[in-house]
Amino acid sequence: MDSQFGLSHVWSQGDFVTRAVFLALICMSLVSWIVIIIKALDVVRAKRLAAKVESFWHSTDMAEGMNKLGTADSNPFRELAIEGREAAAHHRATQAQLHDSLDVSDWISRALRNSIDNTTGKLQAGLAILASVGSTAPFVGLFGTVWGIYHALMSIGAAGQATIDKVAGPIGEALIMTAMGLAVAIPAVLGYNALVRGNKHILAKLGRFAHDLHAYYVTGARVIAMPAESRVVPMKKA
């Protein structure tokens, strides 16, 4: 077999469809890896921020607690605390006009839920790309393989040479497209699953923090369940 077997030969000998499939798989791989890296950094950063939540409750007042959470505007835990604080302040300021039928507990719950929903949307952004790449890349590669095998067989038939050395090369090169599709899809699927698990961990931390904030803004203290009793950790309101 005179030709070299590899991706370079597939590109040089392929037609426009084969090259289009090749480029599509390369682009899908690049996009999926970019999403995986960016979202993984976001998950690591959010986990580091979640570790600061406990120190928030050991602050002497709300201002100090906010500083311990961090000053970044994109901090989901800081945003949650601010939303709860603003909701409580808004309810106290306008209760006589706007909240006759909605008590402070429901009002703060809605504000905290909206903040968590916004964070959930940010965490899930980009995951649809990984899901799409993981589900379609194998079929894109398979399409390239079928197209390559078809044209290889047509060329062999036109040449009238069907020996194994004439068949193995073109067919083997066509099968590379299927391998490429799998190589693109597998990291995308694994990255998607890992990011979903990381997001669930962050959302669970946010949910517990929101529960404690709700108790604090409604009652003035965070309730901590103990084995045989319950105690509260007070914090001065800002």
Side-chain angles (χ1 to χ4, degrees), residues 20 49-50 77 81 110-111 114 119 129 132-133 145 150 159 174 183 203 208 228 233 235 238:
L49 295 174
F77 297 92
R110 293 187 181 187
N114 288 337
T119 301
I129 296 177
S132 300
V133 170
T145 294
Y150 170 75
L203 291 176
R208 286 193 289 270
V233 177
M235 179 191 292

Side-chain angles (χ1 to χ4, degrees), residues 81-126:
I82 292 176
E83 286 293 331
R85 183 182 64 183
E86 292 180 351
H90 182 72
H91 188 278
R92 289 193 300 268
T94 60
Q95 185 173 8
Q97 291 79 27
L98 300 178
H99 298 284
D100 294 332
S101 60
L102 188 65
D103 60 21
V104 63
S105 178
D106 292 336
W107 181 251
I108 293 176
S109 294
R110 293 187 181 187
L112 295 176
R113 173 49 56 189
N114 288 337
S115 179
I116 291 178
D117 289 342
N118 291 335
T119 301
T120 301
K122 293 177 182 178
L123 290 175
Q124 293 180 347

Side-chain angles (χ1 to χ4, degrees), residues 36 185-195 197:
I36 289 172
I186 291 174
V189 172
L190 294 178
Y192 175 85
N193 292 335
L195 291 173
R197 289 194 299 271

Side-chain angles (χ1 to χ4, degrees), residues 117-192:
D117 289 342
N118 291 335
T119 301
T120 301
K122 293 177 182 178
L123 290 175
Q124 293 180 347
L127 295 185
I129 296 177
L130 296 181
S132 300
V133 170
S135 60
T136 60
F139 297 101
V140 174
L142 182 60
F143 171 77
T145 294
V146 172
W147 184 269
I149 290 175
Y150 170 75
H151 282 274
L153 293 177
M154 292 292 293
S155 299
I156 292 171
Q161 298 175 342
T163 58
I164 189 62
D165 60 327
K166 299 298 183 181
V167 174
I171 299 300
E173 292 172 356
L175 290 174
I176 291 179
M177 303 303 291
T178 298
M180 283 189 62
L182 293 176
V184 173
I186 291 174
V189 172
L190 294 178
Y192 175 85

